[in-house]
Amino acid sequence: MAPTGDEARLQSARETIDALYDLSQLLQTGLDKQTLSICTGMIEAGTNPETLAEVIKELRSQNEASKRRT
């Protein structure tokens, strides 16, 4: 039985996230599949990718600084 349109879109989305995750691993970004999926959705919704990357970097820096203080 052939997949429905929704099933095909879902499978395509999974394959895209898998490919992005593989690339993320090669680039050692430290992003998991869930985070990549969220970021992809934000970019598709119009978020500037460079701004999003800067926010992620800043959040990581703040997290590391917080860990050092405790």
Side-chain angles (χ1 to χ4, degrees):
M1 184 195 294
T4 65
D6 288 341
E7 291 170 343
R9 280 190 293 277
L10 184 58
Q11 181 61 31
S12 177
R14 283 187 186 123
E15 290 172 0
T16 298
I17 293 300
D18 287 344
L20 286 172
Y21 181 71
D22 289 344
L23 183 59
S24 174
Q25 292 295 101
L26 287 171
L27 296 173
Q28 299 177 354
T29 65
L31 300 175
D32 59 24
K33 286 185 181 183
Q34 181 180 9
T35 304
L36 285 168
S37 181
I38 292 167
C39 291
T40 300
M42 291 176 70
I43 291 167
E44 288 175 347
T47 300
N48 180 299
E50 285 113 13
T51 301
L52 181 57
E54 288 302 317
V55 168
I56 290 170
K57 288 179 190 177
E58 180 62 27
L59 289 171
R60 284 184 174 166
S61 293
Q62 290 177 7
N63 187 39
E64 288 301 314
S66 176
K67 285 180 181 178
R68 286 191 294 264
R69 281 186 239 134
T70 57

Short mmCIF file of all heavy atoms in Angstrom, two decimals:
data_model
loop_
_atom_site.label_atom_id
_atom_site.label_comp_id
_atom_site.label_asym_id
_atom_site.label_seq_id
_atom_site.Cartn_x
_atom_site.Cartn_y
_atom_site.Cartn_z
N MET A 1 0.83 -1.17 0.00
CA MET A 1 0.00 0.00 0.00
C MET A 1 0.89 1.25 0.00
O MET A 1 1.83 1.36 0.76
CB MET A 1 -0.90 -0.01 1.24
CG MET A 1 -1.85 1.15 1.23
SD MET A 1 -2.67 1.55 2.77
CE MET A 1 -3.72 0.24 3.16
N ALA A 2 0.59 2.19 -0.86
CA ALA A 2 1.37 3.42 -0.99
C ALA A 2 1.07 4.35 0.19
O ALA A 2 -0.05 4.40 0.67
CB ALA A 2 1.05 4.11 -2.30
N PRO A 3 2.09 5.06 0.67
CA PRO A 3 1.86 5.99 1.78
C PRO A 3 0.97 7.14 1.36
O PRO A 3 0.97 7.56 0.21
CB PRO A 3 3.26 6.47 2.15
CG PRO A 3 4.10 6.21 0.96
CD PRO A 3 3.47 5.07 0.22
N THR A 4 0.19 7.66 2.30
CA THR A 4 -0.65 8.83 2.03
C THR A 4 0.24 10.06 1.93
O THR A 4 1.42 10.02 2.27
CB THR A 4 -1.68 9.03 3.15
OG1 THR A 4 -0.98 9.35 4.36
CG2 THR A 4 -2.55 7.81 3.36
N GLY A 5 -0.35 11.17 1.52
CA GLY A 5 0.41 12.41 1.41
C GLY A 5 1.01 12.83 2.74
O GLY A 5 2.17 13.25 2.80
N ASP A 6 0.22 12.70 3.82
CA ASP A 6 0.73 13.06 5.14
C ASP A 6 1.88 12.16 5.57
O ASP A 6 2.87 12.62 6.13
CB ASP A 6 -0.38 13.00 6.20
CG ASP A 6 -1.38 14.14 6.05
OD1 ASP A 6 -1.06 15.16 5.40
OD2 ASP A 6 -2.50 14.00 6.61
N GLU A 7 1.74 10.86 5.31
CA GLU A 7 2.80 9.91 5.67
C GLU A 7 4.07 10.19 4.87
O GLU A 7 5.17 10.12 5.41
CB GLU A 7 2.33 8.48 5.45
CG GLU A 7 1.26 8.03 6.42
CD GLU A 7 0.63 6.69 6.03
OE1 GLU A 7 0.78 6.27 4.86
OE2 GLU A 7 -0.01 6.09 6.89
N ALA A 8 3.91 10.52 3.60
CA ALA A 8 5.07 10.82 2.75
C ALA A 8 5.77 12.09 3.23
O ALA A 8 7.00 12.14 3.28
CB ALA A 8 4.63 10.98 1.29
N ARG A 9 4.99 13.11 3.62
CA ARG A 9 5.59 14.35 4.13
C ARG A 9 6.32 14.10 5.44
O ARG A 9 7.40 14.63 5.68
CB ARG A 9 4.53 15.43 4.30
CG ARG A 9 4.17 16.13 3.00
CD ARG A 9 3.30 17.35 3.23
NE ARG A 9 1.98 17.03 3.74
CZ ARG A 9 0.95 16.66 3.00
NH1 ARG A 9 1.09 16.56 1.69
NH2 ARG A 9 -0.22 16.39 3.54
N LEU A 10 5.71 13.28 6.30
CA LEU A 10 6.34 12.96 7.58
C LEU A 10 7.65 12.20 7.36
O LEU A 10 8.66 12.50 7.99
CB LEU A 10 5.38 12.14 8.45
CG LEU A 10 5.84 11.81 9.85
CD1 LEU A 10 6.16 13.06 10.65
CD2 LEU A 10 4.78 10.98 10.57
N GLN A 11 7.64 11.25 6.44
CA GLN A 11 8.85 10.49 6.13
C GLN A 11 9.93 11.41 5.55
O GLN A 11 11.10 11.32 5.91
CB GLN A 11 8.55 9.35 5.16
CG GLN A 11 9.76 8.49 4.81
CD GLN A 11 10.37 7.81 6.02
OE1 GLN A 11 9.70 7.47 6.99
NE2 GLN A 11 11.69 7.61 5.97
N SER A 12 9.52 12.32 4.68
CA SER A 12 10.47 13.27 4.10
C SER A 12 11.07 14.18 5.19
O SER A 12 12.28 14.44 5.18
CB SER A 12 9.77 14.12 3.04
OG SER A 12 10.65 15.08 2.52
N ALA A 13 10.24 14.62 6.12
CA ALA A 13 10.72 15.46 7.22
C ALA A 13 11.72 14.70 8.08
O ALA A 13 12.75 15.24 8.48
CB ALA A 13 9.55 15.95 8.06
N ARG A 14 11.43 13.44 8.36
CA ARG A 14 12.36 12.61 9.16
C ARG A 14 13.69 12.47 8.45
O ARG A 14 14.75 12.55 9.07
CB ARG A 14 11.75 11.23 9.41
CG ARG A 14 10.69 11.21 10.46
CD ARG A 14 10.27 9.77 10.76
NE ARG A 14 9.16 9.76 11.66
CZ ARG A 14 7.98 9.18 11.42
NH1 ARG A 14 7.77 8.55 10.28
NH2 ARG A 14 7.03 9.22 12.31
N GLU A 15 13.64 12.21 7.15
CA GLU A 15 14.87 12.05 6.37
C GLU A 15 15.67 13.35 6.36
O GLU A 15 16.91 13.33 6.46
CB GLU A 15 14.55 11.60 4.95
CG GLU A 15 14.03 10.17 4.89
CD GLU A 15 13.52 9.77 3.52
OE1 GLU A 15 13.55 10.60 2.58
OE2 GLU A 15 13.04 8.62 3.40
N THR A 16 14.99 14.48 6.27
CA THR A 16 15.66 15.77 6.29
C THR A 16 16.35 16.00 7.63
O THR A 16 17.52 16.40 7.67
CB THR A 16 14.66 16.91 6.00
OG1 THR A 16 14.11 16.71 4.69
CG2 THR A 16 15.34 18.27 6.07
N ILE A 17 15.64 15.73 8.72
CA ILE A 17 16.23 15.91 10.04
C ILE A 17 17.40 14.96 10.24
O ILE A 17 18.43 15.34 10.81
CB ILE A 17 15.17 15.75 11.16
CG1 ILE A 17 14.17 16.89 11.10
CG2 ILE A 17 15.82 15.68 12.54
CD1 ILE A 17 14.76 18.29 11.27
N ASP A 18 17.26 13.72 9.76
CA ASP A 18 18.38 12.77 9.86
C ASP A 18 19.61 13.29 9.11
O ASP A 18 20.73 13.20 9.62
CB ASP A 18 17.97 11.39 9.30
CG ASP A 18 17.02 10.64 10.22
OD1 ASP A 18 16.89 11.02 11.41
OD2 ASP A 18 16.39 9.68 9.73
N ALA A 19 19.39 13.83 7.92
CA ALA A 19 20.52 14.37 7.14
C ALA A 19 21.13 15.59 7.83
O ALA A 19 22.35 15.73 7.91
CB ALA A 19 20.05 14.74 5.73
N LEU A 20 20.27 16.46 8.36
CA LEU A 20 20.78 17.62 9.10
C LEU A 20 21.54 17.19 10.34
O LEU A 20 22.57 17.79 10.68
CB LEU A 20 19.63 18.55 9.50
CG LEU A 20 19.01 19.37 8.39
CD1 LEU A 20 17.76 20.09 8.89
CD2 LEU A 20 20.01 20.37 7.83
N TYR A 21 21.06 16.15 11.01
CA TYR A 21 21.74 15.65 12.20
C TYR A 21 23.12 15.09 11.84
O TYR A 21 24.10 15.35 12.54
CB TYR A 21 20.90 14.60 12.89
CG TYR A 21 21.53 14.06 14.15
CD1 TYR A 21 21.63 14.86 15.28
CD2 TYR A 21 22.06 12.78 14.20
CE1 TYR A 21 22.23 14.39 16.44
CE2 TYR A 21 22.65 12.29 15.35
CZ TYR A 21 22.74 13.10 16.46
OH TYR A 21 23.35 12.63 17.60
N ASP A 22 23.18 14.34 10.74
CA ASP A 22 24.48 13.81 10.30
C ASP A 22 25.46 14.95 10.02
O ASP A 22 26.62 14.90 10.44
CB ASP A 22 24.32 12.95 9.04
CG ASP A 22 23.61 11.64 9.31
OD1 ASP A 22 23.51 11.23 10.49
OD2 ASP A 22 23.14 11.01 8.33
N LEU A 23 24.98 15.99 9.34
CA LEU A 23 25.82 17.15 9.06
C LEU A 23 26.21 17.85 10.36
O LEU A 23 27.37 18.24 10.55
CB LEU A 23 25.08 18.11 8.14
CG LEU A 23 25.82 19.35 7.69
CD1 LEU A 23 27.11 19.00 6.95
CD2 LEU A 23 24.93 20.21 6.82
N SER A 24 25.27 17.96 11.28
CA SER A 24 25.52 18.58 12.57
C SER A 24 26.61 17.82 13.34
O SER A 24 27.47 18.43 13.97
CB SER A 24 24.22 18.61 13.39
OG SER A 24 24.43 19.05 14.69
N GLN A 25 26.56 16.50 13.27
CA GLN A 25 27.58 15.68 13.92
C GLN A 25 28.95 15.91 13.30
O GLN A 25 29.95 16.03 14.02
CB GLN A 25 27.21 14.20 13.83
CG GLN A 25 25.99 13.81 14.64
CD GLN A 25 26.23 13.98 16.13
OE1 GLN A 25 25.81 14.95 16.72
NE2 GLN A 25 26.92 13.04 16.71
N LEU A 26 29.01 15.98 11.97
CA LEU A 26 30.28 16.22 11.29
C LEU A 26 30.86 17.58 11.67
O LEU A 26 32.08 17.73 11.81
CB LEU A 26 30.09 16.16 9.77
CG LEU A 26 29.87 14.78 9.17
CD1 LEU A 26 29.49 14.89 7.70
CD2 LEU A 26 31.11 13.92 9.33
N LEU A 27 29.98 18.57 11.84
CA LEU A 27 30.43 19.91 12.20
C LEU A 27 30.58 20.11 13.70
O LEU A 27 30.98 21.18 14.15
CB LEU A 27 29.44 20.95 11.64
CG LEU A 27 29.33 21.00 10.12
CD1 LEU A 27 28.20 21.93 9.70
CD2 LEU A 27 30.65 21.43 9.50
N GLN A 28 30.26 19.07 14.45
CA GLN A 28 30.37 19.08 15.92
C GLN A 28 29.63 20.26 16.55
O GLN A 28 30.16 20.98 17.38
CB GLN A 28 31.84 19.07 16.34
CG GLN A 28 32.58 17.86 15.85
CD GLN A 28 34.05 17.88 16.20
OE1 GLN A 28 34.59 18.85 16.72
NE2 GLN A 28 34.72 16.77 15.92
N THR A 29 28.36 20.43 16.14
CA THR A 29 27.56 21.53 16.67
C THR A 29 27.02 21.24 18.07
O THR A 29 26.67 22.18 18.80
CB THR A 29 26.35 21.83 15.77
OG1 THR A 29 25.46 20.71 15.79
CG2 THR A 29 26.77 22.15 14.36
N GLY A 30 26.89 19.97 18.42
CA GLY A 30 26.34 19.62 19.72
C GLY A 30 24.82 19.69 19.76
O GLY A 30 24.22 19.60 20.83
N LEU A 31 24.18 19.88 18.61
CA LEU A 31 22.72 19.96 18.56
C LEU A 31 22.13 18.57 18.37
O LEU A 31 22.60 17.80 17.53
CB LEU A 31 22.27 20.88 17.43
CG LEU A 31 22.73 22.33 17.49
CD1 LEU A 31 22.31 23.07 16.24
CD2 LEU A 31 22.21 23.01 18.74
N ASP A 32 21.09 18.26 19.14
CA ASP A 32 20.41 16.98 18.98
C ASP A 32 19.30 17.11 17.93
O ASP A 32 19.04 18.21 17.43
CB ASP A 32 19.86 16.48 20.31
CG ASP A 32 18.86 17.43 20.95
OD1 ASP A 32 18.24 18.25 20.24
OD2 ASP A 32 18.70 17.35 22.18
N LYS A 33 18.67 16.00 17.59
CA LYS A 33 17.64 16.02 16.54
C LYS A 33 16.46 16.90 16.92
O LYS A 33 15.91 17.60 16.06
CB LYS A 33 17.16 14.60 16.23
CG LYS A 33 18.15 13.79 15.44
CD LYS A 33 17.58 12.44 15.06
CE LYS A 33 18.58 11.63 14.29
NZ LYS A 33 18.03 10.33 13.86
N GLN A 34 16.07 16.89 18.18
CA GLN A 34 14.93 17.72 18.59
C GLN A 34 15.26 19.20 18.43
O GLN A 34 14.45 19.97 17.90
CB GLN A 34 14.54 17.42 20.03
CG GLN A 34 13.34 18.23 20.48
CD GLN A 34 12.94 17.94 21.91
OE1 GLN A 34 13.65 17.26 22.63
NE2 GLN A 34 11.81 18.47 22.31
N THR A 35 16.44 19.60 18.85
CA THR A 35 16.85 20.99 18.73
C THR A 35 16.97 21.39 17.26
O THR A 35 16.54 22.48 16.86
CB THR A 35 18.18 21.24 19.47
OG1 THR A 35 18.02 20.82 20.82
CG2 THR A 35 18.59 22.69 19.41
N LEU A 36 17.53 20.51 16.44
CA LEU A 36 17.63 20.79 15.00
C LEU A 36 16.25 20.96 14.39
O LEU A 36 16.03 21.83 13.56
CB LEU A 36 18.38 19.67 14.29
CG LEU A 36 19.89 19.66 14.48
CD1 LEU A 36 20.47 18.36 13.97
CD2 LEU A 36 20.51 20.85 13.77
N SER A 37 15.32 20.13 14.81
CA SER A 37 13.95 20.21 14.30
C SER A 37 13.31 21.54 14.68
O SER A 37 12.67 22.20 13.85
CB SER A 37 13.12 19.04 14.84
OG SER A 37 11.81 19.09 14.35
N ILE A 38 13.51 21.96 15.92
CA ILE A 38 12.98 23.25 16.38
C ILE A 38 13.61 24.39 15.59
O ILE A 38 12.91 25.29 15.11
CB ILE A 38 13.20 23.42 17.89
CG1 ILE A 38 12.33 22.43 18.66
CG2 ILE A 38 12.91 24.85 18.32
CD1 ILE A 38 12.69 22.29 20.13
N CYS A 39 14.92 24.35 15.43
CA CYS A 39 15.62 25.40 14.69
C CYS A 39 15.16 25.46 13.23
O CYS A 39 14.95 26.54 12.68
CB CYS A 39 17.13 25.19 14.75
SG CYS A 39 17.84 25.48 16.39
N THR A 40 14.99 24.30 12.63
CA THR A 40 14.52 24.24 11.25
C THR A 40 13.13 24.87 11.13
O THR A 40 12.87 25.66 10.21
CB THR A 40 14.48 22.78 10.75
OG1 THR A 40 15.80 22.24 10.83
CG2 THR A 40 14.00 22.69 9.31
N GLY A 41 12.26 24.53 12.07
CA GLY A 41 10.92 25.12 12.06
C GLY A 41 10.96 26.63 12.22
O GLY A 41 10.21 27.36 11.56
N MET A 42 11.84 27.11 13.10
CA MET A 42 11.97 28.56 13.30
C MET A 42 12.47 29.25 12.03
O MET A 42 11.98 30.31 11.65
CB MET A 42 12.90 28.84 14.47
CG MET A 42 12.33 28.44 15.81
SD MET A 42 13.49 28.68 17.18
CE MET A 42 13.54 30.47 17.25
N ILE A 43 13.43 28.63 11.37
CA ILE A 43 13.97 29.21 10.13
C ILE A 43 12.91 29.20 9.04
O ILE A 43 12.74 30.18 8.32
CB ILE A 43 15.26 28.49 9.70
CG1 ILE A 43 16.37 28.80 10.71
CG2 ILE A 43 15.68 28.88 8.28
CD1 ILE A 43 17.59 27.91 10.59
N GLU A 44 12.16 28.10 8.93
CA GLU A 44 11.08 28.03 7.95
C GLU A 44 10.01 29.08 8.23
O GLU A 44 9.34 29.55 7.31
CB GLU A 44 10.47 26.63 7.93
CG GLU A 44 11.37 25.60 7.29
CD GLU A 44 10.82 24.19 7.37
OE1 GLU A 44 9.85 23.95 8.13
OE2 GLU A 44 11.38 23.31 6.69
N ALA A 45 9.85 29.45 9.51
CA ALA A 45 8.85 30.46 9.90
C ALA A 45 9.38 31.89 9.72
O ALA A 45 8.66 32.84 9.99
CB ALA A 45 8.41 30.23 11.34
N GLY A 46 10.65 32.02 9.30
CA GLY A 46 11.16 33.34 9.00
C GLY A 46 12.26 33.86 9.90
O GLY A 46 12.74 34.98 9.71
N THR A 47 12.67 33.08 10.89
CA THR A 47 13.76 33.52 11.76
C THR A 47 15.06 33.60 10.97
O THR A 47 15.36 32.73 10.16
CB THR A 47 13.93 32.51 12.93
OG1 THR A 47 12.72 32.46 13.67
CG2 THR A 47 15.07 32.90 13.85
N ASN A 48 15.81 34.64 11.22
CA ASN A 48 17.10 34.80 10.55
C ASN A 48 18.06 33.73 11.08
O ASN A 48 18.31 33.67 12.29
CB ASN A 48 17.64 36.21 10.85
CG ASN A 48 18.97 36.46 10.20
OD1 ASN A 48 19.95 35.78 10.47
ND2 ASN A 48 19.02 37.48 9.35
N PRO A 49 18.63 32.90 10.21
CA PRO A 49 19.52 31.82 10.65
C PRO A 49 20.75 32.30 11.42
O PRO A 49 21.15 31.67 12.40
CB PRO A 49 19.93 31.11 9.36
CG PRO A 49 18.94 31.52 8.35
CD PRO A 49 18.42 32.86 8.76
N GLU A 50 21.34 33.41 10.97
CA GLU A 50 22.53 33.91 11.66
C GLU A 50 22.19 34.39 13.06
O GLU A 50 22.94 34.16 14.01
CB GLU A 50 23.20 35.02 10.86
CG GLU A 50 23.97 34.50 9.66
CD GLU A 50 23.34 34.94 8.35
OE1 GLU A 50 22.48 35.83 8.36
OE2 GLU A 50 23.72 34.38 7.31
N THR A 51 21.04 35.05 13.19
CA THR A 51 20.60 35.52 14.50
C THR A 51 20.32 34.33 15.41
O THR A 51 20.70 34.33 16.59
CB THR A 51 19.35 36.41 14.37
OG1 THR A 51 19.67 37.51 13.52
CG2 THR A 51 18.89 36.91 15.72
N LEU A 52 19.68 33.31 14.88
CA LEU A 52 19.39 32.11 15.66
C LEU A 52 20.69 31.46 16.14
O LEU A 52 20.80 31.07 17.30
CB LEU A 52 18.56 31.12 14.83
CG LEU A 52 18.16 29.83 15.50
CD1 LEU A 52 17.37 30.08 16.79
CD2 LEU A 52 17.35 28.97 14.54
N ALA A 53 21.68 31.38 15.27
CA ALA A 53 22.97 30.80 15.65
C ALA A 53 23.62 31.62 16.77
O ALA A 53 24.18 31.04 17.72
CB ALA A 53 23.90 30.74 14.44
N GLU A 54 23.54 32.93 16.68
CA GLU A 54 24.11 33.79 17.72
C GLU A 54 23.40 33.60 19.05
O GLU A 54 24.04 33.58 20.11
CB GLU A 54 24.08 35.27 17.30
CG GLU A 54 25.06 35.61 16.21
CD GLU A 54 26.50 35.31 16.58
OE1 GLU A 54 26.90 35.60 17.73
OE2 GLU A 54 27.23 34.78 15.73
N VAL A 55 22.08 33.45 19.01
CA VAL A 55 21.31 33.23 20.24
C VAL A 55 21.72 31.90 20.87
O VAL A 55 21.92 31.81 22.09
CB VAL A 55 19.79 33.27 19.96
CG1 VAL A 55 18.99 32.76 21.15
CG2 VAL A 55 19.36 34.68 19.60
N ILE A 56 21.87 30.87 20.06
CA ILE A 56 22.28 29.56 20.58
C ILE A 56 23.67 29.66 21.22
O ILE A 56 23.90 29.15 22.32
CB ILE A 56 22.25 28.49 19.47
CG1 ILE A 56 20.80 28.20 19.07
CG2 ILE A 56 22.96 27.21 19.91
CD1 ILE A 56 20.64 27.36 17.83
N LYS A 57 24.59 30.34 20.56
CA LYS A 57 25.93 30.52 21.12
C LYS A 57 25.88 31.26 22.44
O LYS A 57 26.57 30.89 23.40
CB LYS A 57 26.82 31.29 20.13
CG LYS A 57 27.24 30.50 18.92
CD LYS A 57 28.09 31.39 18.03
CE LYS A 57 28.36 30.78 16.69
NZ LYS A 57 29.13 31.70 15.82
N GLU A 58 25.07 32.32 22.51
CA GLU A 58 24.96 33.11 23.74
C GLU A 58 24.36 32.27 24.87
O GLU A 58 24.83 32.33 26.00
CB GLU A 58 24.11 34.36 23.49
CG GLU A 58 23.94 35.24 24.71
CD GLU A 58 25.23 35.80 25.26
OE1 GLU A 58 26.19 35.98 24.48
OE2 GLU A 58 25.28 36.07 26.47
N LEU A 59 23.33 31.50 24.56
CA LEU A 59 22.73 30.65 25.58
C LEU A 59 23.73 29.62 26.10
O LEU A 59 23.79 29.34 27.30
CB LEU A 59 21.48 29.95 25.04
CG LEU A 59 20.27 30.85 24.81
CD1 LEU A 59 19.18 30.09 24.06
CD2 LEU A 59 19.75 31.40 26.12
N ARG A 60 24.53 29.08 25.20
CA ARG A 60 25.56 28.12 25.62
C ARG A 60 26.59 28.78 26.52
O ARG A 60 27.02 28.21 27.52
CB ARG A 60 26.25 27.49 24.41
CG ARG A 60 25.41 26.45 23.74
CD ARG A 60 26.17 25.81 22.62
NE ARG A 60 25.39 24.71 22.07
CZ ARG A 60 25.65 24.12 20.94
NH1 ARG A 60 26.68 24.51 20.22
NH2 ARG A 60 24.91 23.13 20.50
N SER A 61 27.00 29.99 26.15
CA SER A 61 27.97 30.73 26.97
C SER A 61 27.42 31.00 28.36
O SER A 61 28.12 30.82 29.36
CB SER A 61 28.34 32.06 26.30
OG SER A 61 29.04 31.84 25.12
N GLN A 62 26.18 31.42 28.42
CA GLN A 62 25.55 31.69 29.71
C GLN A 62 25.44 30.41 30.54
O GLN A 62 25.65 30.44 31.75
CB GLN A 62 24.18 32.32 29.52
CG GLN A 62 24.23 33.73 29.01
CD GLN A 62 22.86 34.32 28.77
OE1 GLN A 62 21.84 33.73 29.11
NE2 GLN A 62 22.83 35.50 28.17
N ASN A 63 25.10 29.32 29.88
CA ASN A 63 24.99 28.03 30.57
C ASN A 63 26.34 27.60 31.14
O ASN A 63 26.43 27.15 32.28
CB ASN A 63 24.42 26.98 29.63
CG ASN A 63 24.12 25.68 30.33
OD1 ASN A 63 23.64 25.67 31.45
ND2 ASN A 63 24.39 24.57 29.65
N GLU A 64 27.39 27.75 30.35
CA GLU A 64 28.73 27.39 30.82
C GLU A 64 29.17 28.28 31.98
O GLU A 64 29.75 27.80 32.95
CB GLU A 64 29.74 27.46 29.66
CG GLU A 64 29.60 26.35 28.65
CD GLU A 64 29.78 24.97 29.27
OE1 GLU A 64 30.73 24.77 30.05
OE2 GLU A 64 28.95 24.10 28.96
N ALA A 65 28.89 29.56 31.87
CA ALA A 65 29.25 30.50 32.95
C ALA A 65 28.49 30.15 34.23
O ALA A 65 29.06 30.19 35.33
CB ALA A 65 28.95 31.93 32.53
N SER A 66 27.26 29.77 34.08
CA SER A 66 26.44 29.39 35.24
C SER A 66 26.99 28.12 35.88
O SER A 66 27.05 28.02 37.12
CB SER A 66 25.00 29.17 34.81
OG SER A 66 24.22 28.71 35.87
N LYS A 67 27.44 27.18 35.07
CA LYS A 67 28.00 25.94 35.60
C LYS A 67 29.30 26.20 36.37
O LYS A 67 29.57 25.57 37.36
CB LYS A 67 28.27 24.94 34.46
CG LYS A 67 27.05 24.29 33.92
CD LYS A 67 27.43 23.32 32.81
CE LYS A 67 26.22 22.65 32.20
NZ LYS A 67 26.60 21.77 31.10
N ARG A 68 30.11 27.14 35.87
CA ARG A 68 31.39 27.46 36.53
C ARG A 68 31.17 28.11 37.91
O ARG A 68 31.98 27.96 38.79
CB ARG A 68 32.23 28.35 35.65
CG ARG A 68 32.85 27.62 34.46
CD ARG A 68 33.89 28.47 33.78
NE ARG A 68 33.30 29.64 33.15
CZ ARG A 68 32.96 29.73 31.86
NH1 ARG A 68 33.13 28.69 31.07
NH2 ARG A 68 32.44 30.83 31.37
N ARG A 69 30.07 28.85 38.03
CA ARG A 69 29.80 29.55 39.29
C ARG A 69 29.33 28.60 40.39
O ARG A 69 29.44 28.94 41.56
CB ARG A 69 28.72 30.61 39.09
CG ARG A 69 29.28 31.86 38.45
CD ARG A 69 28.22 32.93 38.41
NE ARG A 69 28.06 33.27 37.01
CZ ARG A 69 26.92 33.41 36.38
NH1 ARG A 69 25.79 33.29 37.01
NH2 ARG A 69 26.89 33.72 35.10
N THR A 70 28.80 27.45 40.01
CA THR A 70 28.27 26.52 41.05
C THR A 70 29.27 25.49 41.43
O THR A 70 30.28 25.27 40.93
CB THR A 70 26.98 25.83 40.55
OG1 THR A 70 27.23 25.14 39.34
CG2 THR A 70 25.88 26.85 40.40
#
